[in-house]
Amino acid sequence: MTIYERIAEELDKLEAQSNLRRLPHLTHQEKHVVVNGRKMINLSSNDYLGLAADRSLREEFLQQLTVDEFMPTSSSSRLLTGNFTIYDRLEEELANRFGTEAALVFNCGYHANNGILPAVCTSQTVILADKLVHASLIDGIRLSNATCVRYRHNDLTQLQRLIEKHHAQCDQLIVVTESVFSMDGDRADLRALVALKRQYPKVMLYVDEAHAFGLYGPTGLGCAEEESCIADIDFLVGTFGKAAASAGAYLVCNRLLRQWLINKMRPFIFTTALPPLQMAWTLFILRRLPAMGQRRLHLQQLSASLRDALRQRGMECPSESHIIPLMIGPSSEAILRADALQRHGFYLLPVRPPTVPEGTSRIRISLTAALTQEELQQLIKAIDE
Ligand code: PMP
């Protein structure tokens, strides 16, 4: 069988299982999207604070932009000539804000998660990863030489048992988790993880704050800031493409680790650095995040209202955040439900395997601070129908 014959057959199978994906054609109008002529509120993006939908921010940024700063390419990797001063300024600002020795910026969260673990692990490292960590982390783990064991989602009792089992025989043990989980919207207990780490000298913590950066903590640095444990997390990663309305990702860490990654991390070394223009926008947003408490509060209030409404209706709701899945089960049913909600004016999409485990297809509601309480009430009505 040729490659083309095989993949044609596989695509037919995906279609039959209602798991075939297609790229949607859509246009954006602030917090709305227009798809097939239908204008809907976008509840499927990661623009959690509504900053990407906010024209006034872009206008303000453009007003202060000079031609020299409007640099749409870095033309090189950072190790050659791509290390524009804006990179140093952004990393200094991140390290200052997090109170860490250093920070390192990457082209995206996928690169960060794909590259950090392979760069630091040896065959004597054991990785213990939560069962629901993101694909970018799984791929990074696969690329590393470490032994990996997955623990049941948020099950710290099982995690401790695994630490006990592996602690003596390895050089180092890295516990890998997200802070807010991307699909269930629930949270890891960071304080409990830190307490566990303190009991075992070889344990390090890797926490991905992709869905928490900008949203939690007094100045929006994430759950680690909220839980006052930034200094206890060895690899604290976050992304700029979600609440921060930009692109790229960061690691805040010590100087030693930064120096090592610059030398050894392949997705850092072998890629053209993000455009300086993008970094200038990221810095512009980063400086405004502390003052966005009102948006964070509004998002939390919306989230609490929706979670309460679902629970009152007896629906399963694992969420503890602004990511709120409507658990459905079969993919075909999730597609029908999403279609119905779209007809009510809410752009919601089915999330199906392989993004989520078989039989757990769902509609992932990504709430945004751009939504009003009235619009949320309309959404709840639409869910009822
Ligand atoms: N980590 C998590 C938990 C994610 O959900 C994602 C993307 N959705 C990433 C990392 C990847 O980040 P990026 O989109 O910047 O590549």
Side-chain angles (χ1 to χ4, degrees), residues 46 107-111 113 134 136-137 178 180 182 208 210-211 239-242 248-249 364:
N46 301 316
N107 284 14
C108 63
Y110 191 88
H111 276 187
N113 287 339
H134 189 255
S136 54
L137 285 162
E178 288 167 37
V180 171
S182 61
D208 180 347
H211 297 277
T239 58
F240 299 128
K242 299 179 178 14
R364 178 179 181 271

Side-chain angles (χ1 to χ4, degrees), residues 2-44:
T2 67
I3 286 179
Y4 284 144
E5 284 163 353
R6 178 170 51 77
I7 64 179
E9 212 168 86
E10 292 292 329
L11 286 170
D12 286 344
K13 263 193 231 157
L14 285 175
E15 176 118 62
Q17 293 159 354
S18 303
N19 284 336
L20 185 68
R21 296 150 183 240
R22 289 191 174 87
L23 287 175
H25 300 286
L26 45 82
T27 52
H28 291 83
Q29 291 180 10
E30 300 189 346
K31 68 179 173 184
H32 295 90
V33 282
V34 182
V35 187
N36 295 329
R38 191 187 285 150
K39 185 172 170 182
M40 296 169 275
I41 295 179
N42 187 358
L43 293 181
S44 292

Side-chain angles (χ1 to χ4, degrees), residues 288-314:
R288 277 157 185 74
L289 281 181
M292 290 186 180
Q294 204 46 46
R295 285 189 194 238
R296 285 190 278 277
L297 183 64
H298 177 56
L299 182 63
Q300 278 167 24
Q301 286 166 346
L302 291 173
S303 311
S305 301
L306 181 57
R307 292 192 309 254
D308 287 350
L310 296 184
R311 286 179 187 136
Q312 277 161 17
R313 285 157 178 76

Side-chain angles (χ1 to χ4, degrees), residues 51 57 60-61 64-65 69 84-98 103 105 213 219 221 239-241 243-250 274-292:
L51 304 184
L57 271 176
E60 198 190 324
F61 178 72
Q64 63 171 47
L65 196 68
E69 282 164 349
F84 285 69
T85 50
I86 189 75
Y87 270 90
D88 298 328
R89 277 167 57 204
L90 178 59
E91 287 172 350
E92 267 165 34
E93 180 98 10
L94 282 165
N96 280 339
R97 293 280 304 284
F98 279 90
V105 168
F213 178 67
T219 68
L221 294 179
T239 58
F240 299 128
S246 186
Y250 63 84
L274 281 181
L277 175 62
Q278 194 71 46
M279 296 297 94
W281 168 254
T282 303
L283 189 55
F284 172 86
I285 295 287
L286 181 66
R287 289 187 171 148
R288 277 157 185 74
L289 281 181
M292 290 186 180

